[in-house]
Amino acid sequence: MKDAIVLDGLTKDYGSLTAVDHVSLNIEEGEVFGFLGPNGAGKTTTIRMLVGLTTPSEGSATVAGYDIGDDIVEVKRRVGVVPEASNLYDELSVWDNLLFSSRLYHVPKDERAARIGDLLEIFKLEDRRNTKFGRLSKGLKRRVVIAAALVHQPRIIFMDEPTSGLDVLSALSLRRLIRELRLEDTTVFLTTHYIEEADQLSDRVAIIVEGRIVIVDTPENIKLSIRGAPILEARLSQAPDQLMIRELELGGRVEFNENRIRIEIENLTGTLESLIMLASQRGIQVTDLHTLQPSLEDAFVELTGVSTEVMRVEKENRGR
Amino acid sequence: MRLDRLTRELKVVWAIAVKDMKIYYLRTPSLMFGILFPFSMFLSFVIGRSMIISRAIPVLVAQTVFFASSTIGPVSIPLERRMQTFDRFLSAPVSLLTVLVGKTIAGFLYGIGISLIPVAIGIVFFSSQVTHLVALAIGIALSAFGFAAMGIMFASLPGQGPGEVMMPLNFVRIPLLFVSGVYVPVKDLPSWGQIASAASPLTHTIELIRLGMGGENFFEPALNVIILTFYAMAFLLAGMRFHIMNKKRE
């Protein structure tokens, strides 16, 4: 499979701050590639370099076979960009915004109306075609921005936090769309701080921390690489006392939240026996019991030291 | 191949200009700085003075094209930078020159349109005459393009936030009125004033418009055209340079 995007030591410095630090990646054609990282890790800066919005300090990259330094216009012709901000013109209607995008990307005049019509249908925007962009809800705005990025039928699309700030239904709808793009062999380079989203959508994920790539692999392999041991999760009829927790910790690491308990299993039989015995001694019933593999979120927290809740709150505060 | 590419870029120039016309022409800053400003300054100049209005009409035309053309860029670019819509141009397969020419055209057409109003007023109400149509047309068109490019240049200065562009622009525009033969004819200025006047693009605007409407000139029309053309190119290139500097900083 050919590479759609290749980064080779790509670096961006802002004075003494290195926002992107010698990042090297290969992304195959048709791949959905998730780019995960805490706020300020360098995800957006990386995209901005790849689409020509900012100039790298060092290193190189090719997109669709064209160098971002020497042939950036050819790169721009072949990619679509969905930025984090819904940056279309509030004063223009949905139709006029898409028409303007089609003109910017040299879509032939006789194809524009048909393509825009198709996009309105795909994104369920037909009844909003004459609505001013500024009057749309956040979710609808995102749909229009994605439609604008697809009007010239690019083979590669860069999406910077596409579902950020959206309600659940809109986010689900957009994720469905990303899956459909994958089925059409469109390469999707996606940054997100929703770990679950990266896990569900991405063929491979790169985690970037302070400008440096920490790991690049499939979500499954990343989960397995963090902890080999599975986890036993149990729900109890009441919260365990401290003594019970200490006893259980002899068998492995324990996390608990009220009446839910997680134990890192080293010996499944031994851990189960301990749990049931300690619970029954205290008159506590085990109401639910199952084993878990480490999640991508667990892997992310372990690799970056940042909890996803902290990341979400920081993002929301930045958006205010 | 090259002709195809040029045609494509020109189509994008027009698309950008039309988009800017739809969005920015009726915005309050455009109306205030582009129309109200020059008309108010003109009225403050003529009211209470014994002056033949038809002789002052070329001044009003020149002031109008000066302010109107140079206002659209400083309204559109900072706003687009703040809303991040300017990034759309930078990530599209069009050259920076195409983007800036498109925005200049929007200012150019605004300047031409608004400046025809005092020409019409002069002809209809004050018996002004167009004695040299070519000089008037070239004067208005070349000036509209040059001053629109000037507005784009100021709007492209590195580090300019929204609301910060009009101040430096007016810091330049208003003093130019005093060395350009607007309030004091060039022939009545001291020698250093005449030198400064020759360097001011607005001087050459007024000269061509006066020539077009039956007035006197101090400089040769050929010099007027050369100076205005030079400034138009210089402002456009400076605007491009500032954008490239911005891109390196971002």
Side-chain angles (χ1 to χ4, degrees):
Chain A
M1 194 65 106
K2 239 170 93 176
D3 287 331
I5 305 168
V6 178
L7 285 72
D8 185 9
L10 203 64
T11 302
K12 181 67 182 176
D13 297 314
Y14 293 104
S16 59
L17 171 70
T18 302
V20 177
D21 193 351
H22 297 88
V23 166
S24 296
L25 289 170
N26 289 58
I27 295 141
E28 288 178 2
E29 281 180 1
E31 187 175 8
V32 176
F33 190 84
F35 207 45
L36 274 176
N39 300 319
K43 308 186 294 292
T44 298
T45 306
T46 303
I47 283 189
R48 287 178 68 85
M49 285 191 281
L50 292 173
V51 302
L53 286 174
T54 190
T55 315
S57 308
E58 261 182 72
S60 64
T62 59
V63 178
Y66 291 93
D67 187 87
I68 64 170
D70 300 330
D71 298 307
I72 191 60
V73 175
E74 293 302 321
V75 169
K76 290 176 184 179
R77 216 187 288 285
R78 290 162 177 79
V79 307
V81 184
V82 180
E84 190 176 352
S86 293
N87 63 344
L88 286 172
Y89 299 95
D90 285 344
E91 301 85 353
L92 298 183
S93 67
V94 170
W95 179 274
D96 283 344
N97 267 298
L98 294 178
L99 186 62
F100 182 65
S101 289
S102 70
R103 285 174 162 167
L104 273 188
Y105 283 88
H106 311 304
V107 173
K109 193 174 179 180
D110 52 1
E111 291 178 32
R112 285 177 201 156
R115 285 203 201 175
I116 295 171
D118 288 343
L119 286 167
L120 291 177
E121 200 180 312
I122 290 166
F123 288 89
K124 299 183 177 36
L125 292 164
E126 299 107 313
D127 57 346
R128 301 291 191 146
R129 56 192 286 155
N130 295 321
T131 307
K132 295 253 190 290
F133 184 75
R135 289 182 171 273
L136 297 175
S137 69
K138 217 170 182 178
L140 288 178
K141 280 184 178 177
R142 291 310 273 161
R143 281 196 235 168
V144 181
V145 170
I146 295 175
L150 294 173
V151 76
H152 57 295
Q153 299 175 340
R155 301 307 305 155
I156 299 171
I157 182 160
F158 291 90
M159 293 185 158
D160 194 1
E161 309 270 4
T163 60
S164 179
L166 295 186
D167 60 84
V168 172
L169 285 177
S170 298
L172 280 171
S173 165
L174 279 174
R175 285 174 199 149
R176 202 175 309 127
L177 168 77
I178 293 170
R179 288 190 192 96
E180 284 168 18
L181 286 173
R182 190 186 179 285
L183 290 174
E184 291 167 13
D185 280 335
T186 304
T187 307
V188 180
F189 186 103
L190 163 76
T191 75
T192 179
H193 69 278
Y194 294 122
I195 314 293
E196 193 61 29
E197 181 171 276
D199 193 1
Q200 286 173 11
L201 294 175
S202 308
D203 296 309
R204 285 190 303 152
V205 164
I207 296 179
I208 181 169
V209 179
E210 292 182 352
R212 289 188 176 190
I213 298 290
V214 172
I215 191 167
V216 184
D217 212 328
T218 64
E220 283 310 308
N221 286 347
I222 292 175
K223 290 174 211 173
L224 288 172
S225 73
I226 299 306
R227 281 197 293 249
I231 293 167
L232 180 71
E233 187 175 83
R235 190 183 302 169
L236 309 175
S237 57
Q238 65 191 66
D241 55 50
Q242 286 299 316
L243 187 59
M244 181 173 168
I245 303 278
R246 279 203 292 274
E247 295 269 356
L248 287 169
E249 279 173 345
L250 295 173
R253 203 165 78 179
V254 175
E255 292 170 13
F256 66 96
N257 181 6
E258 295 183 352
N259 65 333
R260 293 179 78 100
I261 195 162
R262 280 185 171 197
I263 309 165
E264 198 173 289
I265 305 170
E266 286 174 17
N267 175 346
L268 179 59
T269 306
T271 305
L272 268 176
E273 283 176 353
S274 295
L275 176 65
I276 291 167
M277 182 190 72
L278 289 166
S280 89
Q281 281 171 359
R282 288 157 174 78
I284 297 172
Q285 288 180 1
V286 179
T287 56
D288 188 32
L289 191 70
H290 53 268
T291 57
L292 299 172
Q293 293 295 331
S295 67
L296 190 61
E297 184 170 337
D298 294 328
F300 181 87
V301 172
E302 189 153 319
L303 284 166
T304 67
V306 177
S307 86
T308 55
E309 183 58 25
V310 166
M311 213 161 64
R312 186 187 64 76
V313 169
E314 277 181 11
K315 198 97 196 167
E316 282 170 9
N317 289 340
R318 225 173 63 193
R320 287 203 189 111
Chain B
M1 192 77 161
R2 272 183 136 179
L3 188 62
D4 276 347
R5 188 174 166 177
L6 179 64
T7 309
R8 274 204 313 261
E9 296 287 311
L10 287 173
K11 284 179 181 175
V12 175
V13 163
W14 183 242
I16 293 171
V18 167
K19 187 268 297 171
D20 277 11
M21 286 191 266
K22 281 184 185 173
I23 296 175
Y24 301 112
Y25 273 14
L26 295 180
R27 282 199 176 248
T28 305
S30 303
L31 298 173
M32 193 165 84
F33 288 104
I35 301 175
L36 196 62
F37 218 55
F39 278 85
S40 304
M41 293 188 80
F42 175 76
L43 288 173
S44 65
F45 174 57
V46 299
I47 286 177
R49 299 172 102 185
S50 51
M51 179 182 276
I52 302 168
I53 299 291
S54 60
R55 285 208 182 152
I57 291 292
V59 169
L60 177 58
V61 176
Q63 275 182 200
T64 306
V65 75
F66 181 46
F67 280 96
S69 307
S70 58
T71 289
I72 298 297
V75 171
S76 71
I77 291 180
L79 193 62
E80 293 198 1
R81 284 203 171 277
R82 186 180 68 186
M83 303 302 288
Q84 298 180 44
T85 47
F86 199 82
D87 281 356
R88 297 218 145 251
F89 298 129
L90 299 180
S91 57
V94 294
S95 68
L96 182 58
L97 181 62
T98 298
V99 174
L100 296 186
V101 170
K103 290 192 159 296
T104 303
I105 296 291
F108 164 72
L109 292 172
Y110 193 66
I112 288 181
I114 301 298
S115 62
L116 290 178
I117 297 172
V119 173
I121 290 172
I123 291 169
V124 171
F125 295 105
F126 299 104
S127 308
S128 294
Q129 288 184 322
V130 177
T131 55
H132 199 318
L133 181 61
V134 172
L136 182 66
I138 290 175
I140 290 176
L142 209 43
S143 303
F145 190 87
F147 295 135
M150 184 179 84
I152 297 292
M153 182 190 74
F154 273 92
S156 306
L157 283 167
Q160 287 289 312
E164 292 173 322
V165 179
M166 282 298 180
M167 288 290 281
L169 179 60
N170 285 334
F171 195 70
V172 169
R173 289 196 295 194
I174 293 169
L176 274 181
L177 295 173
F178 294 94
V179 296
S180 302
V182 172
Y183 302 124
V184 178
V186 177
K187 64 180 171 59
D188 295 336
L189 291 172
S191 53
W192 62 263
Q194 288 177 358
I195 294 168
S197 192
S200 161
L202 183 57
T203 303
H204 303 283
T205 298
I206 292 176
E207 291 263 300
L208 283 172
I209 292 171
R210 273 205 180 109
L211 178 63
M213 298 186 85
E216 330 178 303
N217 284 47
F218 186 79
F219 299 108
E220 286 295 320
L223 181 66
N224 300 148
V225 171
I226 289 168
I227 299 283
L228 284 173
T229 306
F230 166 76
Y231 271 110
M233 296 298 110
F235 289 146
L236 202 56
L237 289 172
M240 278 184 66
R241 186 81 203 128
F242 292 151
H243 273 286
I244 291 167
M245 287 164 67
N246 279 333
K247 191 178 165 187
K248 286 192 175 148
R249 282 156 58 102
E250 284 169 5

